[in-house]
Amino acid sequence: QVQLVESGGGLVQPGGSLRLSCTASGIISSINTMGWYRQAPGKQRELVASIGRGGSTNYADSVKGRFTISRDNAKNTVYLQMNSLQPEDTAVYYCNAEVRPITQIRVYGYWGQGTQVTVSS
């Protein structure tokens, strides 16, 4: 069984910063792409940023220059550093990972439980 556990959400004022973390645990052979998605009330879930195992990154246009995604393969952990946060960044942030369990050949997609980020004065 593979689990993703997120941490680091909270309430921050506009212009502030937060750092999200997500760690995958379980009987894992390898992890391919890891990413962060977000879902605001009344909106669809959208990709915020993703990072490949080798470090290649992809960002939504709305967060380029403000957010930075990184990962520690030894710890099965992905991070999202969020700077210059704005009220429109308010959402539940979800971690996603493409994981090959040690007992499987194929890769499966897993989701974290979500962490709330609220940007408000």
Side-chain angles (χ1 to χ4, degrees):
Q1 185 75 6
V2 174
Q3 288 186 320
L4 302 183
V5 178
E6 300 137 337
S7 62
L11 173 64
V12 64
Q13 292 186 342
S17 299
L18 284 175
R19 188 191 194 211
L20 305 183
S21 299
C22 171
T23 298
S25 63
I27 307 175
I28 296 171
S29 174
S30 63
I31 302 177
N32 295 342
T33 300
M34 303 183 81
W36 290 94
Y37 290 71
R38 66 187 181 187
Q39 187 167 17
K43 295 187 177 181
Q44 289 190 333
R45 190 173 298 189
E46 62 176 1
L47 175 68
V48 176
S50 64
I51 183 167
R53 183 170 180 82
S56 60
T57 58
N58 179 47
Y59 294 93
D61 288 342
S62 59
V63 306
K64 284 181 180 177
R66 301 188 298 123
F67 291 10
T68 301
I69 190 170
S70 61
R71 66 189 284 173
D72 185 333
N73 290 333
K75 296 181 179 180
N76 290 339
T77 299
V78 62
Y79 306 96
L80 185 68
Q81 177 66 43
M82 304 185 293
N83 298 329
S84 302
L85 282 161
Q86 300 301 318
E88 53 265 35
D89 295 315
T90 295
V92 178
Y93 284 69
Y94 296 92
C95 173
N96 175 269
E98 298 175 351
V99 179
R100 177 179 289 122
I102 202 166
T103 58
Q104 303 290 329
I105 296 175
R106 57 166 288 187
V107 173
Y108 295 85
Y110 291 88
W111 291 93
Q113 80 283 0
T115 185
Q116 177 70 46
V117 171
T118 302
V119 185
S120 176
S121 55

